[in-house]
Amino acid sequence: MTSSTQFDADYNLLDMFSCDMDFEQAYSMYNNLQQNKLMGSFEDLQKVQMLNQQYTTNIPPSQAQNTDYDYGRQQIINKNYQMHTQDSFDEFDQFFTNNESNALEKFLDNLANPNSLSTNPLQFYKQNLSQQHSPILNNELDFNFDLHTMKLPKRNESTTSDSCINLKKELTEAFTNPSHHSNFHNQLPTPVDSRTNSSNQLITPPTSGDELSINKNKRHNSSDEDESEEEGKESKDEAPKKRRRSSNKPLLSLEQKRLNHSHSEQKRRQLCKLAYQRCLELIINIDAFNKLPELNEAERKSKRARVNKDGLPNLSKHNALIRISNEMLTIKSKNDALKKLLESS
Amino acid sequence: MSSSSSPEPDTSQITLEDSISKQGRKKTKSSTLSEEQKKAHHIASEQKRRENIRSEFDKIVSLTPNLTESENRSELNILTKSADYIDQLRDENQKLIELCRMKGIQVPSELIYTGPQNDGSDIAK
């Protein structure tokens, strides 16, 4: 847990790519590193909290640039609110700057609220800014966003701050490995777990009953892998789901269409073939044809096979058509001659 | 075309080699042109084939009373109706012969239709 071990782990991790190492070795090393990092950051946070308790006005330099955070912090400090967990998560959230994570949350909320006003992605940021300066007004304005978890004045309420934590956790979970997170979970029991359901239910649109119940079950069992997987999906869940569902029907019908088309095409070909066979039987004496002796190879002039794969005379289209018309003409001439005979008599 | 049946293997080998070398020379000289010529020839013959088939279809359409020029010219339609017409002609032939016999007219054998005379022996020749 000391910095030296952490350094070692770090060094080894970097080395992992160059030297050949077992996957398991590397994985365990990675886990250790993550744990150490986490512990280290946690210790740091505790220190910072200690310092904060001593000098409430003294803001740590790492967070000084974060105006959003500052604003919230000052409000909280004025109301003597202790934000242990909040601090820890803010510190832990290395992946996003506060602004970005806010925007992301807004984006997710927006996805959950399809009839909300914003289509412009920049709006997420803009609202963020306006939030800083006129939180109450903003609060009134976008009542559509039920999940504005990052609203600063609402941090005082434990529910919103919890859901904020929860969301952040989800986001970080999506990018960290599962086992590391399980440790995290065990070491830092937060009141989040009970509320995870509600917030997630709000985020994911109530698509189908069974899906939700599955989600719940998974959460209650809270096998960490499941959770992390879900969380991984969570952030990009909304749009693909919708797309899948909307494209589901057309896909099926497309398949159906293709089947129908091929079926009808086969039918058509079969009909054509039958008609052609009927014509062939009318123009060629099939019995005599079948009794024909095998062709002497030397006598052949063309390489054309005499029998096609159906056992019928292998005529070219043109040839068959000529024979059809010839047959018509011969019968017709006979009939005409017969008619003349009848008339003359 | 029937160059395969040469009695002496030696000469055939020689001729084969000769032909190969000739072909090679030709290809190197005018490979692109011959390819183009091939293509053009192929296209021309395909067009000819299609034109032949079309003209035959036209002929059948003109011969068959229940096929009109403006009608659906699908292969299926034409083949079916022409077959129908041949059947019709056959029936007519039988009826006419029957009539002649009833009237006591001697029907010459060449006017009696007894099915297709062609046995397809001329197909591969």
Side-chain angles (χ1 to χ4, degrees), chain A residues 268 272 276 280 283 304 313-325, chain B residues 46 49-50 52-54 56-57 60 73-76 78-79:
Chain A
R268 192 188 71 81
C272 225
Y276 180 66
L280 271 182
I283 58 173
R304 193 182 187 85
N314 189 19
L315 284 171
S316 70
K317 209 168 183 175
H318 179 235
N319 205 340
L321 292 174
I322 287 172
R323 283 167 199 242
I324 287 169
S325 53
Chain B
E46 173 63 18
R49 190 186 74 89
R50 269 184 273 151
N52 277 336
I53 290 168
R54 202 174 295 127
E56 276 316 306
F57 269 126
I60 287 172
R73 283 181 63 101
S74 72
E75 204 178 327
L76 176 64
I78 287 170
L79 286 176

Side-chain angles (χ1 to χ4, degrees), chain A residues 275-326:
Chain A
Y276 180 66
Q277 282 181 8
R278 194 178 153 210
C279 284
L280 271 182
E281 283 162 18
L282 289 171
I283 58 173
I284 283 172
N285 191 344
I286 298 292
D287 288 336
F289 174 78
N290 288 335
K291 283 172 195 162
L292 280 177
E294 282 289 308
L295 272 177
N296 186 355
E297 284 298 314
E299 280 177 26
R300 292 182 78 147
K301 283 177 185 167
S302 73
K303 285 175 186 170
R304 193 182 187 85
R306 196 166 62 184
V307 185
N308 66 11
K309 63 181 193 299
D310 295 318
L312 287 167
N314 189 19
L315 284 171
S316 70
K317 209 168 183 175
H318 179 235
N319 205 340
L321 292 174
I322 287 172
R323 283 167 199 242
I324 287 169
S325 53
N326 284 346

Side-chain angles (χ1 to χ4, degrees), chain A residues 198-238:
Chain A
S198 63
S199 68
N200 273 315
Q201 276 170 358
L202 284 170
I203 287 165
T204 48
T207 51
S208 62
D210 43 350
E211 218 168 62
L212 261 182
S213 67
I214 286 162
N215 267 2
K216 270 185 198 169
N217 285 338
K218 274 185 179 176
R219 242 160 252 292
H220 283 307
N221 297 342
S222 88
S223 106
D224 292 295
E225 280 185 1
D226 274 1
E227 219 171 328
S228 70
E229 272 178 24
E230 258 175 57
E231 249 82 66
K233 271 188 251 162
E234 201 86 302
S235 54
K236 39 187 172 166
D237 214 0
E238 319 303 326

Side-chain angles (χ1 to χ4, degrees), chain B residues 19 29-32 37 41 44 46 49 51 53-55 58 67 69 79-80 86 89 91 100 102 107 113 116 119 121:
Chain B
S19 68
K29 262 187 183 173
S30 57
S31 62
T32 54
Q37 276 177 337
H41 189 252
E46 173 63 18
R49 190 186 74 89
E51 188 46 52
I53 290 168
R54 202 174 295 127
S55 70
D58 283 340
L67 274 173
E69 291 284 344
L79 286 176
T80 313
I86 291 173
L89 285 172
D91 286 348
C100 286
M102 274 172 59
V107 182
Y113 182 73
D119 59 357
S121 57

Side-chain angles (χ1 to χ4, degrees), chain B residues 62-104:
Chain B
S62 69
L63 282 172
T64 315
N66 49 2
L67 274 173
T68 56
E69 291 284 344
S70 59
E71 211 179 334
N72 179 15
R73 283 181 63 101
S74 72
E75 204 178 327
L76 176 64
N77 188 37
I78 287 170
L79 286 176
T80 313
K81 287 201 173 171
S82 53
D84 286 346
Y85 183 53
I86 291 173
D87 278 342
Q88 205 179 303
L89 285 172
R90 282 174 155 201
D91 286 348
E92 201 184 345
N93 186 267
Q94 280 186 345
K95 274 174 192 167
L96 286 170
I97 288 161
E98 197 70 16
L99 261 174
C100 286
R101 278 185 186 153
M102 274 172 59
K103 288 194 177 182

Side-chain angles (χ1 to χ4, degrees), chain A residues 65-300:
Chain A
Q65 296 151 338
N66 212 329
T67 52
D68 188 18
Y69 182 83
D70 282 354
Y71 180 79
R73 183 173 186 78
Q74 259 168 3
Q75 276 207 338
I76 290 150
I77 286 162
N78 290 341
K79 288 169 190 174
N80 294 324
Y81 180 72
Q82 297 278 323
M83 282 184 59
H84 301 279
T85 51
Q86 183 61 46
D87 273 2
S88 73
F89 279 109
D90 267 11
E91 185 67 15
F92 182 68
D93 186 12
Q94 301 150 333
F95 223 96
F96 305 102
T97 68
N98 235 344
N99 261 350
E100 276 169 339
S101 64
N102 273 353
L104 192 61
E105 278 168 42
K106 289 265 174 58
F107 175 64
L108 288 172
D109 291 352
N110 194 41
L111 282 176
N113 261 331
N115 51 352
S116 67
L117 37 138
S118 63
T119 49
N120 182 12
L122 280 176
Q123 208 168 335
F124 300 125
Y125 284 97
K126 279 177 194 164
Q127 278 176 2
N128 217 10
L129 285 172
S130 68
Q131 224 174 336
Q132 283 179 15
H133 302 302
S134 59
I136 299 154
L137 185 82
N138 203 35
N139 200 10
E140 284 169 354
L141 267 178
D142 43 23
F143 48 86
N144 259 340
F145 297 106
D146 293 335
L147 293 167
H148 275 170
T149 50
M150 287 298 278
K151 268 179 190 165
L152 288 167
K154 281 190 180 178
R155 274 184 187 174
N156 306 351
E157 302 165 25
S158 60
T159 50
T160 44
S161 74
D162 280 343
S163 60
C164 149
I165 290 160
N166 182 39
L167 227 142
K168 276 199 173 177
K169 196 186 71 185
E170 282 169 18
L171 291 171
T172 47
E173 251 178 323
F175 293 103
T176 51
N177 74 36
S179 65
H180 138 249
H181 192 78
S182 73
N183 287 333
F184 187 71
H185 233 306
N186 295 336
Q187 286 164 3
L188 291 174
T190 47
V192 164
D193 291 353
S194 60
R195 283 174 190 111
T196 323
N197 281 328
S198 63
S199 68
N200 273 315
Q201 276 170 358
L202 284 170
I203 287 165
T204 48
T207 51
S208 62
D210 43 350
E211 218 168 62
L212 261 182
S213 67
I214 286 162
N215 267 2
K216 270 185 198 169
N217 285 338
K218 274 185 179 176
R219 242 160 252 292
H220 283 307
N221 297 342
S222 88
S223 106
D224 292 295
E225 280 185 1
D226 274 1
E227 219 171 328
S228 70
E229 272 178 24
E230 258 175 57
E231 249 82 66
K233 271 188 251 162
E234 201 86 302
S235 54
K236 39 187 172 166
D237 214 0
E238 319 303 326
K241 249 189 193 171
K242 275 178 190 170
R243 223 179 297 142
R244 215 186 304 146
R245 206 167 299 112
S246 60
S247 65
N248 239 353
K249 264 196 171 178
L251 247 177
L252 248 172
S253 72
L254 265 179
E255 189 72 17
Q256 202 70 32
K257 266 184 197 170
R258 203 182 297 131
L259 273 173
N260 283 343
H261 183 256
S262 65
H263 185 72
S264 57
E265 173 64 16
Q266 276 178 350
K267 223 163 139 189
R268 192 188 71 81
R269 283 186 195 170
Q270 191 59 33
L271 277 172
C272 225
K273 208 174 176 182
L274 284 174
Y276 180 66
Q277 282 181 8
R278 194 178 153 210
C279 284
L280 271 182
E281 283 162 18
L282 289 171
I283 58 173
I284 283 172
N285 191 344
I286 298 292
D287 288 336
F289 174 78
N290 288 335
K291 283 172 195 162
L292 280 177
E294 282 289 308
L295 272 177
N296 186 355
E297 284 298 314
E299 280 177 26
R300 292 182 78 147

